[in-house]
Amino acid sequence: MNILIVEDEPNYADTLEMFVDELGYHITGLAEEGQKALKLFRENAPDLVLLDINIEGEMSGIDLARIFQAERPTPVIFITSYDDKETFNKAKETVPCDYLIKPFDPDQLERSMELATVRAYAPSPDEDVFEDNRHVVLGKDFFFVKERNKLVKLMIADILWVSVEDKYCILHAEGKKFVIRQSLKELAEKLNPQEFVQTHRSHIVNIKKVEDIDLAQYTIAIAGEEIPLGKSYKENLLYRLQTL
């Protein structure tokens, strides 16, 4: 998950940077004033912004949050020394995911970051929220998969195929595997049917990644691996490949 940090106090900036790094997230930029923060936001498209209110320059953190939400709605967590009601009410107008008072508690910030991601990218209020250490939230073009204490961003286009083991789905990407507690049917409903097709009762493949099909052995080759092809799924797969 890509994080933008906007903080002009060196001690807090270093602390946030260290904390985010320890969680395993990627810091797309660190800014101490508004213009630099805006430039980093536009260039790097962060998934989440940790934003101080009182920063250097003409723009405040609240001003920045308004611009961010107008250009590309992005979850924002305010981290500030201001605990007065007037500042809070102004900040609230930008609809932040949280408003934390310095000195912040690392555990509280970690929970706020996780909840901010769920609220921002879950498709509906009924979407399951990380019931265990292996679950998923779907954004428009990507998944956020929870692994241990961090959220890992996986672009849907990078999924090669999906397989099933017991009650879990395994998302296979180049050199990586992501395990989520979800049925193949539930996952299939979240994938674009123009890009993904079921080829076996326990497999879904990204049809753009198919390298070859062995019609004698009923297997599909993707990234040097053989995926089973069920006889009842063959005709649909061939038809879909012809329509690409």
Side-chain angles (χ1 to χ4, degrees):
M1 186 162 64
N2 298 320
I3 311 293
L4 172 61
I5 298 173
V6 185
E7 172 61 70
D8 66 346
E9 294 184 51
N11 289 339
Y12 275 110
D14 290 345
T15 299
L16 283 170
E17 190 172 14
M18 179 180 67
F19 174 72
V20 171
D21 185 63
E22 286 178 351
L23 286 177
Y25 298 144
H26 177 243
I27 300 171
T28 62
L30 180 60
E32 65 286 338
E33 56 87 27
Q35 290 298 334
K36 181 178 179 181
L38 194 55
K39 182 174 183 292
L40 291 171
F41 179 84
R42 289 167 174 167
E43 290 178 350
N44 301 320
D47 302 307
L48 175 68
V49 181
L50 302 180
L51 181 58
D52 187 16
I53 288 179
N54 185 27
I55 55 176
E56 295 178 7
E58 297 180 358
M59 286 188 287
S60 70
I62 296 173
D63 295 330
L64 269 180
R66 289 195 184 102
I67 297 173
F68 292 164
Q69 304 302 17
E71 292 191 2
R72 188 178 67 86
T74 302
V76 168
I77 296 176
F78 283 117
I79 302 174
T80 178
S81 300
Y82 290 96
D83 59 358
D84 62 284
K85 191 172 182 178
E86 182 181 356
T87 302
F88 174 75
N89 285 336
K90 289 180 180 178
K92 188 170 64 173
E93 293 175 0
T94 68
V95 196
C97 292
D98 212 337
Y99 188 96
L100 304 182
I101 303 299
K102 297 177 182 178
F104 61 86
D105 175 73
D107 290 336
Q108 182 185 13
L109 179 57
E110 181 179 0
R111 288 191 294 270
S112 294
M113 291 171 66
E114 182 174 308
L115 288 172
T117 305
V118 171
R119 290 167 182 162
Y121 298 109
S124 75
D126 297 326
E127 176 74 14
D128 290 337
V129 177
F130 299 132
E131 296 174 345
D132 49 39
N133 286 336
R134 297 189 182 276
H135 205 70
V136 62
V137 166
L138 176 64
K140 182 179 179 182
D141 302 310
F142 50 82
F143 286 120
F144 276 115
V145 181
K146 185 174 182 184
E147 289 194 333
R148 296 185 176 86
N149 295 319
K150 66 179 180 179
L151 304 179
V152 180
K153 187 177 183 180
L154 171 63
M155 301 304 295
I156 292 176
D158 292 338
I159 298 174
L160 302 176
W161 77 91
V162 180
S163 60
V164 174
E165 276 191 22
D166 195 16
K167 296 179 180 179
Y168 296 89
C169 278
I170 302 174
L171 311 180
H172 299 260
E174 192 69 41
K176 297 180 181 179
K177 295 181 181 180
F178 300 88
V179 182
I180 62 174
R181 188 180 178 87
Q182 201 162 57
S183 72
L184 193 67
K185 180 181 178 181
E186 291 172 328
L187 184 61
E189 291 174 350
K190 297 179 179 181
L191 296 172
N192 185 347
Q194 300 302 314
E195 298 178 9
F196 291 86
V197 61
Q198 188 164 356
T199 60
H200 187 270
R201 59 185 177 83
S202 61
H203 287 76
I204 293 174
V205 303
N206 184 336
I207 53 179
K208 293 183 178 180
K209 304 295 184 179
V210 172
E211 296 169 352
D212 64 61
I213 303 171
D214 189 328
L215 296 178
Q217 299 296 322
Y218 280 90
T219 59
I220 300 167
I222 298 180
E225 298 287 337
E226 289 189 349
I227 293 92
L229 172 62
K231 292 183 179 180
S232 61
Y233 297 92
K234 183 187 74 171
E235 294 304 323
N236 183 50
L237 174 64
L238 294 177
Y239 171 75
R240 293 289 302 283
L241 288 172
Q242 289 172 6
T243 60
L244 283 179

